[in-house]
Amino acid sequence: DTGVSQDPRHKITKRGQNVTFRCDPISEHNRLYWYRQTLGQGPEFLTYFQNEAQLEKSRLLSDRFSAERPKGSFSTLEIQRTEQGDSAMYLCASSLGGSGTVSTDTQYFGPGTRLTVL
Amino acid sequence: AQTVTQSQPEMSVQEAETVTLSCTYDTSESDYYLFWYKQPPSRQMILVIRQEAYKQQNATENRFSVNFQKAAKSFSLKISDSQLGDAAMYFCLAGKSTFGDGTTLTVKP
């Protein structure tokens, strides 16, 4: 069990540029989540996947944000035309969904990608 | 919509003493779990303890235990024999995706 990994760990970009983050979940975990966390706040849910299907998206996920999990393994989160308000830590988590609902899953988090938009 | 409230933005405890962090939540779901996570400064979110909402018995993990009051929708975390390494931000999670705003715990030597 190598844990959840995220790449890159830090990203500095200029306003208006596009950025893409990658998340590799714990192998065999079928559910994958993206969150955004600003300094001193709790994580805010963005979206989650079960296998390759994106089952829920938060209203925080504007049309500049898109997430994919094409083969049900790793996932990418892309932000187009970045704005200074996008500066935050982007967290990925994964869980092994069982017979219960997703609200009973235990999520394991990656180290996050810290985005700074200049 | 689910809500999670952590009413203590900051807490402080003396090393070796006991501290309790509070969390209240609201959910319409019938099947859910509750979690406490620890996030040290600039470090990864780590699971501390989990409570299955259908169980009346409070969860315990070594020095960490919860006081779960389902009817009151209260889920507090008790840390016994506090250690310097317990210093971190602690987040309560209800169900799938609703976190509280966290409590910053300082441990004084």
Side-chain angles (χ1 to χ4, degrees):
Chain A
D1 183 352
T2 57
V4 179
S5 61
Q6 293 187 244
D7 184 68
R9 296 289 305 277
H10 302 274
K11 178 70 176 179
I12 300 174
T13 191
K14 293 182 179 179
R15 188 178 54 177
Q17 298 294 305
N18 299 343
V19 294
T20 300
F21 309 142
R22 176 179 170 125
C23 171
D24 286 89
I26 294 171
S27 59
E28 92 263 6
H29 277 194
N30 57 343
R31 290 175 177 152
L32 187 148
Y33 313 77
W34 286 100
Y35 293 88
R36 182 175 70 186
Q37 185 180 27
T38 52
L39 196 61
Q41 302 295 316
E44 296 175 296
F45 172 76
L46 294 177
T47 188
Y48 96 93
F49 293 83
Q50 179 160 309
N51 300 314
E52 67 275 9
Q54 189 173 20
L55 295 189
E56 187 174 340
K57 292 195 292 186
S58 162
R59 57 182 170 78
L60 292 175
L61 210 69
S62 75
D63 56 4
R64 296 185 299 106
F65 288 69
S66 62
E68 294 183 342
R69 195 182 183 201
K71 297 183 179 179
S73 56
F74 73 92
S75 176
T76 57
L77 177 68
E78 180 183 18
I79 309 174
Q80 296 182 328
R81 305 181 303 281
T82 53
E83 301 173 356
Q84 288 186 325
D86 297 330
S87 295
M89 177 77 86
Y90 290 84
L91 299 174
C92 176
S94 70
S95 68
L96 180 61
S99 57
T101 71
V102 66
S103 294
T104 62
D105 282 9
T106 299
Q107 296 178 43
Y108 296 90
F109 282 81
T113 294
R114 183 168 296 284
L115 172 66
T116 302
V117 181
L118 302 176
Chain B
Q2 292 195 140
T3 59
V4 175
T5 302
Q6 293 182 245
S7 59
Q8 307 150 315
E10 297 179 350
M11 289 287 283
S12 177
V13 64
Q14 206 71 33
E15 194 176 7
E17 297 294 308
T18 296
V19 64
T20 298
L21 310 183
S22 67
C23 173
T24 57
Y25 65 95
D26 192 11
T27 180
S28 56
E29 297 190 60
S30 57
D31 188 17
Y32 61 94
Y33 290 2
L34 297 153
F35 308 84
W36 279 98
Y37 284 86
K38 167 185 177 181
Q39 189 176 41
S42 301
R43 292 185 62 186
Q44 198 157 332
M45 190 90 75
I46 302 165
L47 177 69
V48 174
I49 198 165
R50 179 183 80 174
Q51 174 74 43
E52 296 150 2
Y54 64 88
K55 287 188 177 179
Q56 291 186 334
Q57 185 174 6
N58 289 324
T60 300
E61 285 286 342
N62 301 313
R63 297 183 295 107
F64 299 88
S65 61
V66 301
N67 183 4
F68 175 47
Q69 303 289 328
K70 189 170 184 178
K73 294 185 176 176
S74 170
F75 179 59
S76 60
L77 174 69
K78 186 171 84 171
I79 307 173
S80 304
D81 185 27
S82 297
Q83 300 176 359
L84 295 177
D86 295 333
M89 202 155 183
Y90 287 80
F91 293 98
C92 176
L93 168 64
K96 176 177 91 271
S97 59
T98 306
F99 281 87
D101 282 337
T103 296
T104 300
L105 178 66
T106 302
V107 181
K108 297 179 180 178

